[in-house]
Amino acid sequence: MALRRSPSSTCAEPCPNGAGLSRVSTALSESSSIHSDALCHLNRELSGIGLKPMPYNVLEPEGCKEEPGAEESQSLLQKRNSMQVSPSEDKIPVVDAPASPQASSEGLYFCDGQRKVDYVLVFHHRRHGSLRCTGTSSVSQDQLSIVSNGNFPPPAGSDARRGGVRREEAASVGEVFMELGMVRGSEPMEAADHEMHLIRQEFEANLLEAGLEVERDRETKTHGPSFTRIHAPWPVLCREAEFLKIKVPTKQSYELKEESGFGSSMSTVWRKLKQPFQPNVPHQDHGSTKFLSHCFSRDKLHMYNITSKDTFFDNATRGRIVYEILRRTVCVRTCQTIGISTLIAKGVYDAAFPLHDGDYKVTGHLEERNDRQVLFEEWARYSAFYKYQPIDLVRKYFGEKIGLYFAWLGVYTQLLIPASIVGIIVFGYGVATVDTNIPSLEMCDERLNFTMCPLCDGACDYWHLSTACGTARASHLFDNPATVFFAIFMSLWAVLFLEHWKRRQISLSFSWDLTGIEEDEEHPRPKYETILLQKRQRKQKKKKKKKKNETVIEKLTWKDRLPGYFMNISSILFMFGLTFSAVFGVIIYRITVSALMAMSPDPETKSNVRVTVTATAVIINLVVILILDEIYGAVALWLTELEIPKTETNFEERLILKAFLLKFMNAYAPIFYVAFFKGRFAGRPGSYVYVFNDYRMEECAPGGCLIELCIQLSIIMLGKQLIQNNIFEIGIPKLKKLIRALKDKEPTQKEKDEERPPQQWNLDYALAPFEGLTPEYMEMIIQFGFVSLFVASFPLAPLFALLNNVIEIRLDARKFVTELRRPVAARAKDIGIWYNILSGMGKLSVIINAFVISFTSDFIPRLVYQYMYSQTGTMHGFIDHTLSFFNVSNFKPGTAPHSSDHGDITVCRYKDYREPPWSSDAYQFSKQYWSVLSARLAFVILFQNLVMFLSLMVAWVIPDVPKTIVEQLKREKKLLVDLFLQEEKEKFQLIQSLFVKDATLHPKSQSPTPGQAFPVLGRYSTLPSGPTAGDGGGPRARCRAASFSQFSERISSLPRKENANSKHTAV
């Protein structure tokens, strides 16, 4: 059935009985076939909803003109005039809700308590005022075009009421007109609500035609949500499972190969050690037996272990099957080629979702828990943080896509454990050696009396290097020789993590029967269809006068997307500029506050300038990052919509790339500035670089920029994890739930008392909708960057990431189980584009860590001094080697300290490799500078090549596919071939026995001729070749392959008396 809406027109005359009249045309196609009684029932249905048929006999064949259904329709019409019942009640059962949730098995079944509710559609009854139709009022003229597959002659005179081109077009297909009016006495609808109502009616009728069963509650309220429940019967499940190529286990099983020797004993010991950490999930341990899986086929039902048709397909699979029907069901009134996605986008339905398996709280015995309760008890509780995740049950309940996310998160969290241990060891090494570190001791030695140049112009005084003793000691905790080892280790760890995940992914694909699956065909997105339709209509208007038959536009071109691409590029560049402006603003804040605090007469304030400025600037950075993160997420979504991607997969990939690019730049821009830019463009005493001609560019702390990088990284990382990943994820959903609860508290106390107990679909509708895994992946990818990119400056980053992820897993699990509607079980073989992003970040981390060690830390200058300039081969004298001299008489006017507490100072020191003032090349870079720079660049090249080589070695040593999986795949393939050959052999034996039996019972009529022999049983014989006697050598009808059970069912229907020339076909 297809509905089309014509443009609204104005009533030419007053509406009789207060009802607006519309014309309904029934298009009868000549190229198809339909039974006449279908139109007879359609006529009764239309009459039941207020459609007054015109006096044409084509809709009422003689066989159904005088059926008692006509009287029922009249009585039903009278009831509806007084009760205002939904027009779709002729086909969709409208039932009263049970008095309690237990009456219909806790709201998971239809009213009969037998059929499962596989999917729920929700729409709202909205309040509206009455519409009066007068002689000059504008009403909506609806054209109901019922596209059937019938072949009926066009009715005579059907064109008399039409004119112009429309009359000629109608004559070619044969159309019948009906008058569409509101039921007398019913409350009039608004035009938009009436349009939505007709679309829902057509859509649900098409669902019925697709084989689904639909049920709806009788609504007693004039506004509020209305629920349409859908059930897929067994034939529909079988048909769709075959179309979707869903793999199901067969009766055939085989024993898994067990390890022997030392490996077996080690596996046994490992399993016993893991036993306390295993969740208490029933049927999780598969044992040593595995059932063969094969794509479902209705011809091979005897191969599957079907104990119950209601439980053979689990709830997640049933929901996925119904969703596939919903998304491809055509609804012509919307002029689209897609179903439920377009209707939700247009507001016809508010939501569509499968139901949860009941309440998540356990009320009975533990043995009677449903899957949702098991997940809540063993997975979503914070007290289960030490247990492994029940990944198989997560996949069974939520589908492969969500199962792969949690499996990936579990692998990532597990591998953070060794990284955290090594990081703690590196940090412990720094703590243990801080008291023996010679550079730190020299900086803290007041006897050396290094007088440093002022930190600001005019107001700042000279200062002693020993006052920065605390900073130097803290810097050694993170800037020590073990840091280089840790950077190399973490680069190899990233490669090991990706390789381990690939193996784990392959193992899960094999365990979940995802090997060899094909990509599901994707329908275009609603917005793509809408814009394509608009383009098609514009083309038709332009070519209407030419009357030329042109090909229909099937896709959008780059010209249609050009404005979106231009907006994307300009917006992303603007966002980059905004991020850099925020970073620059914080730099200005640092500079100005440092200058103002240095001018303060309070000595306490002066002594805490660096600590105060650094801490407050990092907090401001964190707040800016959190705000821009939310803005960039919305902007990335808007920009992706402007590109008009065709499919959901294409849309998701583009959204991920934009969001990652913007959020990556937002999160790491301040860290990149501290690591590679801060202090490198500040100049030197007497020739400083100024901002706005008044403020000097900031310099690194005396202990180096690495300690500031550590502070910046730690606060941003911990702040994002604590505030954004945890507080936002907990607080915002609860706030939204509270707002929805306040909105729903509109009814009076009397209505609340009369309100029936909530069913499962009411409870699920109150939950937040599932909006995809992109936010979950994104926060983990950004965290992976903190762990891998700048880990040389903060060895404790893996430890904090591990602690966060232990909470994150349970937080996400609780959100999915208790706070979100159940998502459709989406099938996926891998984590998609996220793996490419992880791989790219792993390679980028090698480069960044090499530059951090070379240019941000003092590791290379120490090595150069120790092996090139130290007279004793030790680090004694390193601090004096890194400090240059400056003659205070070379200060620019007004920049020297106004007053000094250090007496008459002629020379001050500053950290740089420059020639002294008494040299002929005063204040120029010295030879030591160029030696250190050469060593730094050489280390970068050496580090990158070494780590890349080791990474390739690790990737080569560890195969992507485990050897056991390869062997099991080969074995399963061989067993499936043997199974099908055995089935074929049994078919031939059955057919041969039938030949022998027929020949015994009818020896005269069934005597074989030379051209007709018994089928020869062979390994590859499927159909007899060549013509047989009596068939004339003509083409033989090909029989569809049948199963053993189907063939055995046909034995009773075989004719007992056959022609001698008849031919039996081996199938």
Side-chain angles (χ1 to χ4, degrees), residues 313-569:
F313 296 105
D314 56 32
N315 292 340
T317 305
R318 297 173 69 100
R320 178 182 162 217
I321 288 174
V322 174
Y323 174 72
E324 290 295 331
I325 299 176
L326 289 174
R327 76 171 188 170
R328 73 165 185 257
T329 301
V330 178
C331 197
V332 182
R333 283 193 65 90
T334 60
C335 299
Q336 305 288 337
T337 58
I338 197 171
I340 192 63
S341 300
T342 303
L343 298 183
I344 292 177
K346 286 182 171 293
V348 178
Y349 289 100
D350 291 335
F353 51 87
L355 288 180
H356 279 292
D357 289 356
D359 193 9
Y360 61 86
K361 296 180 180 178
V362 180
T363 55
H365 299 287
L366 293 179
E367 294 79 9
E368 300 176 354
R369 296 182 298 177
N370 58 44
D371 289 345
R372 191 185 187 193
Q373 293 170 346
V374 173
L375 287 173
F376 178 75
E377 292 291 330
E378 302 296 331
W379 183 50
R381 297 173 67 94
Y382 294 107
S383 58
F385 72 93
Y386 63 93
K387 292 185 178 181
Y388 287 95
Q389 298 184 85
I391 292 298
D392 290 335
L393 186 59
V394 174
R395 171 253 178 180
K396 175 187 174 185
Y397 193 82
F398 293 109
E400 287 82 3
K401 193 171 186 179
I402 295 177
L404 282 174
Y405 163 71
F406 281 103
W408 172 83
L409 184 57
V411 170
Y412 172 48
T413 304
Q414 288 177 8
L415 287 183
L416 281 174
I417 296 176
S420 303
I421 294 174
V422 176
I424 293 173
I425 293 174
V426 170
F427 181 75
Y429 172 82
V431 174
T433 59
V434 67
D435 293 328
T436 60
N437 183 43
I438 296 175
S440 299
L441 294 176
E442 288 184 351
M443 286 186 66
C444 297
D445 191 355
E446 297 181 1
R447 295 172 297 178
L448 296 177
N449 194 21
F450 294 113
T451 303
M452 307 298 293
C453 295
L455 297 176
C456 64
D457 294 341
C460 297
D461 195 3
Y462 302 103
W463 58 284
H464 290 299
L465 185 61
S466 58
T467 58
C469 177
T471 305
R473 291 173 62 87
S475 179
H476 177 72
L477 300 178
F478 306 100
D479 188 3
N480 54 68
T483 304
V484 180
F485 160 76
F486 188 61
I488 297 175
F489 170 81
M490 288 304 296
S491 299
L492 297 178
W493 173 87
V495 177
L496 185 66
F497 162 59
L498 294 177
E499 292 298 321
H500 181 60
W501 167 244
K502 282 196 291 188
R503 290 172 60 87
R504 174 66 169 157
Q505 190 171 256
I506 294 294
S507 299
L508 290 175
S509 297
F510 173 75
S511 175
W512 295 348
D513 297 322
L514 299 176
T515 54
I517 66 169
E518 300 177 359
E519 295 292 337
D520 294 337
E521 181 184 358
E522 290 194 79
H523 296 278
R525 299 181 66 249
K527 185 165 185 180
Y528 180 90
E529 290 283 346
T530 302
I531 296 177
L532 184 63
L533 174 65
Q534 294 172 356
K535 180 180 179 181
R536 198 176 294 161
Q537 291 174 345
R538 290 194 300 268
K539 290 287 185 181
Q540 289 176 354
K541 289 180 180 179
K542 291 180 181 179
K543 303 298 181 182
K544 188 174 182 181
K545 297 181 180 180
K546 298 182 180 181
K547 297 182 180 181
K548 292 183 179 180
N549 295 326
E550 296 187 356
T551 57
V552 180
I553 302 173
E554 296 181 354
K555 64 179 182 179
L556 300 178
T557 61
W558 65 270
K559 295 180 180 179
D560 302 307
R561 296 186 172 97
L562 188 60
Y565 291 152
F566 176 77
M567 183 63 71
N568 267 262
I569 295 173

Side-chain angles (χ1 to χ4, degrees), residues 224-290:
S226 179
F227 299 91
T228 300
R229 300 178 292 280
I230 299 174
H231 167 77
W234 173 253
V236 175
L237 292 174
C238 294
R239 180 192 70 203
E240 298 299 322
E242 185 172 352
F243 292 163
L244 297 175
K245 298 182 180 180
I246 295 176
K247 284 191 174 183
V248 294
T250 63
K251 295 179 181 178
Q252 185 72 24
S253 63
Y254 67 95
E255 296 291 330
L256 297 175
K257 184 179 180 181
E258 297 183 357
E259 297 181 1
S260 59
F262 180 74
S264 177
S265 58
M266 290 298 297
S267 299
T268 303
V269 172
W270 181 243
R271 280 196 298 269
K272 290 181 179 179
L273 291 176
K274 292 194 304 180
Q275 189 60 36
F277 306 101
Q278 295 292 342
N280 183 19
V281 177
H283 312 297
Q284 187 184 26
D285 189 9
H286 302 289
S288 59
T289 303
K290 187 178 188 301

Side-chain angles (χ1 to χ4, degrees), residues 829-938:
K829 294 187 294 185
D830 49 40
I831 60 175
I833 195 174
W834 295 111
Y835 182 84
N836 299 329
I837 294 176
L838 285 170
S839 180
M841 293 185 70
K843 293 178 174 60
L844 183 62
S845 68
V846 178
I847 302 173
I848 292 180
N849 281 308
F851 277 93
V852 168
I853 295 173
S854 298
F855 289 90
T856 309
S857 73
D858 285 336
F859 176 74
I860 299 301
R862 289 171 186 170
L863 286 181
V864 172
Y865 173 77
Q866 185 175 1
Y867 294 104
M868 291 183 63
Y869 298 102
S870 176
Q871 297 178 357
T872 60
T874 62
M875 293 301 296
H876 289 285
F878 172 73
I879 297 298
D880 184 58
H881 177 75
T882 59
L883 297 178
S884 299
F885 293 89
F886 178 75
N887 192 340
V888 298
S889 62
N890 295 328
F891 274 122
K892 291 182 178 180
T895 60
H898 300 313
S899 61
S900 177
D901 298 333
H902 297 277
D904 188 13
I905 301 296
T906 58
V907 176
C908 63
R909 310 290 295 271
Y910 61 98
K911 190 173 182 179
D912 206 345
Y913 291 101
R914 292 183 182 267
E915 296 291 342
W918 53 81
S919 173
S920 59
D921 298 326
Y923 306 126
Q924 297 298 316
F925 288 117
S926 62
K927 295 180 180 179
Q928 289 86 347
Y929 172 82
W930 299 110
S931 300
V932 172
L933 180 61
S934 301
R936 282 173 167 168
L937 295 176

